[in-house]
Amino acid sequence: MRIAKVIASEGVGGSYCSDQDAIAKGAVVDGLFVRGKPVLPGFHTCRDVASAICLQVVLDDGQVAHGDGTSLVYPGRGGADPPFDGRDLIPIVEGVVADALVGGVLDGFRPLARIVESLRVDGKRLHSALRWGLEGTLLDAVALSRKLTKAEVLAEEWQAPLASEGPPLNVQHGFGWDLGIDKAILRQVGAYHRATHHRQMWDDHPRALKLFRDRVREFAPGLKIDIQLDMNGFGGRAFDNSSDRLVEHIAHLERCVEPYGILVGSPFEMPDRSSQIAKLAELRSRMRAAGLRSQLVADHWCLSHEDHVAFAEAGVADYHAVRAVAMGSCHEAVESLLYLKRRGIKTWLSATATGTDRGAQVMAHMALATHPDLMTATPGGGVDEAHSITVNEISRTLALIKARPQGRARTS
């Protein structure tokens, strides 16, 4: 079966893009609005509705495969691509992308993913959102062609056993965090995300973590749940990049949330990968010396497969956030997840609140093929919708695989 046509249209993401550099430099958060002028390229205001590029691949038998690509919540930082306008990507899809893909055979996913990775416009590779959307669409097309689920295609091509259940989920409720605690408890998730969107949230962490502890104790005392605390570099800004002072603060936060754990992301945001690795190594050493229970997450400047190898070889983190959407590559994310698992490093298949339902479904299939220790439920930042989309996609996929004749797919 072959690709007959590639179609692109403009869409919107499930949340908002924020110019975190502008906020760090004093732009004032006022509800969902941010007062001030944007600093990072690609922003119209300091907080914009995320743009999306919606993709469809028509097979030569008339079936249609789907996939979306979106901007990130914090684009243009730590090696991630800037925000984009979906209208600007449509001519690229109709030109360079269609020329490369139309007529292509749908026997396997990896050869098609390599074609996407090789494409260049004005000497530059495609925007990460477009690459991610195209790979998701092509994965769907191959699955339709072979009459398999996307999870089965990935598992077969990487010779990996399929999971028999979904991973623990990490949910987020960035702009209504207190209410989101109850949603996380009711839905029995594995982790609840708390970001640091601005200084007021940083100052409010102790109160918020105590509230989280008290609500879990009262309504679900047996629930195993962590706080995934994304500091967004505020740890470094608040303590002049002092690891010792940040360790004291993390110890205080641990007491606020005990007995529940904290997964600490982006405590510092250094200017490049090597300095980020060095700073995380220093912080992790200080945390261990102080006997802290919290676990460090490699995320800032840890984007490509090469980055994950560098962070892993340095041994600076307990978890790696494999940010598939920011990476712009389903196949590279799978490679990274499986590599980290082989090294015994915990994996978090991370997404973005600005994603779409299509992207969330692709992530669910990736999780079944790679067995991450944690996975973000997306899109949006309201818990309920993202949780239902992710759980239901995993449920229906596993039910379909189970109903197949024996021997069609391996599970573990």
Side-chain angles (χ1 to χ4, degrees):
M1 202 169 293
R2 296 179 180 272
I3 296 172
K5 194 170 187 178
V6 182
I7 302 170
S9 58
E10 181 187 7
V12 293
S15 189
Y16 306 89
C17 303
S18 297
D19 185 339
Q20 193 65 19
D21 282 15
I23 294 172
K25 292 180 180 184
V28 177
V29 177
D30 181 358
L32 278 178
F33 298 99
V34 180
R35 298 181 183 274
K37 293 183 179 180
V39 173
L40 291 171
F43 279 91
H44 303 292
T45 71
C46 292
R47 179 167 288 145
D48 296 330
V49 176
S51 185
I53 181 77
C54 301
L55 300 160
Q56 300 178 81
V57 164
V58 182
L59 283 61
D60 59 10
D61 69 347
Q63 295 186 91
V64 181
H66 301 270
D68 298 332
T70 63
S71 291
L72 307 174
V73 172
Y74 300 126
R77 307 174 71 247
D81 283 351
F84 69 93
D85 189 321
R87 291 170 293 187
D88 296 335
L89 299 184
I90 293 175
I92 297 173
V93 175
E94 294 175 342
V96 172
V97 172
D99 291 345
L101 294 179
V102 171
V105 178
L106 292 167
D107 290 342
F109 167 65
R110 295 172 84 173
L112 294 169
R114 285 193 285 268
I115 291 174
V116 171
E117 182 62 35
S118 71
L119 295 179
R120 296 292 185 271
V121 174
D122 297 330
K124 299 179 180 179
R125 67 177 184 170
L126 304 181
H127 192 286
S128 57
L130 181 52
R131 287 185 282 117
W132 166 255
L134 283 169
E135 287 202 19
T137 312
L138 292 169
L139 176 59
D140 193 25
V142 171
L144 290 172
S145 174
R146 298 185 58 199
K147 295 181 172 56
L148 295 171
T149 65
K150 292 183 281 291
E152 289 169 296
V153 171
L154 294 173
E156 285 192 8
E157 295 200 22
W158 271 269
Q159 297 184 338
L162 280 167
S164 58
E165 60 183 4
L169 295 181
N170 182 20
V171 297
Q172 52 192 324
H173 203 307
F175 298 109
W177 200 79
D178 288 9
L179 177 62
I181 294 173
D182 292 358
K183 295 182 178 183
I185 294 170
L186 283 167
R187 291 179 179 268
Q188 300 281 290
V189 299
Y192 185 40
H193 173 78
R194 179 170 174 83
T196 312
H197 296 295
H198 44 74
R199 180 65 196 227
Q200 296 97 306
M201 289 190 74
W202 171 262
D203 293 337
D204 192 44
H205 284 333
R207 179 209 65 84
L209 266 58
K210 289 176 183 177
L211 177 64
F212 170 84
R213 175 200 64 196
D214 294 343
R215 298 296 278 182
V216 177
R217 278 180 174 173
E218 180 176 359
F219 293 103
L223 180 62
K224 294 181 179 179
I225 184 170
D226 294 318
I227 283 289
Q228 191 272 303
L229 183 62
D230 189 349
M231 292 187 175
N232 284 335
F234 273 85
R237 289 193 284 276
F239 301 117
D240 297 321
N241 282 337
S242 168
S243 292
D244 290 331
R245 292 175 64 191
L246 183 54
V247 165
E248 292 178 3
H249 185 68
I250 294 173
H252 171 59
L253 295 179
E254 284 189 359
R255 291 190 292 272
C256 292
V257 79
E258 192 175 5
Y260 308 102
I262 304 176
L263 310 181
V264 179
S266 294
F268 302 104
E269 290 186 347
M270 307 305 288
D272 53 49
R273 187 177 77 183
S274 60
S275 58
Q276 183 74 8
I277 288 174
K279 199 64 183 176
L280 283 188
E282 177 185 89
L283 178 61
R284 194 181 193 206
S285 175
R286 300 282 204 282
M287 289 172 64
R288 286 180 166 178
L292 299 189
R293 298 179 294 108
S294 297
Q295 299 184 77
L296 272 182
V297 180
D299 51 6
H300 192 66
W301 287 113
C302 189
L303 189 58
S304 68
H305 180 69
E306 179 186 341
D307 294 335
H308 283 288
V309 171
F311 276 78
E313 289 181 345
V316 298
D318 305 283
Y319 273 85
H320 276 225
V322 179
R323 298 183 289 155
V325 181
M327 185 182 281
S329 174
C330 177
H331 81 276
E332 191 174 350
V334 170
E335 291 279 2
S336 298
L337 288 161
L338 295 177
Y339 163 79
L340 294 166
K341 296 292 279 189
R342 289 194 298 270
R343 291 200 62 133
I345 297 172
K346 291 180 180 179
T347 56
W348 165 27
L349 178 51
S350 177
T352 176
T354 52
T356 71
D357 56 335
R358 298 289 188 190
Q361 289 161 2
V362 172
M363 299 280 288
H365 288 262
M366 288 174 61
L368 290 175
T370 59
H371 306 240
D373 297 283
L374 189 66
M375 174 188 171
T376 301
T378 59
V383 177
D384 299 317
E385 299 83 358
H387 183 264
S388 66
I389 288 171
T390 302
V391 169
N392 293 346
E393 183 67 10
I394 289 173
S395 175
R396 65 173 67 98
T397 300
L398 289 173
L400 181 59
I401 293 171
K402 185 178 180 181
R404 295 197 191 286
Q406 288 294 320
R408 186 65 188 267
R410 296 176 298 156
T411 59
S412 70

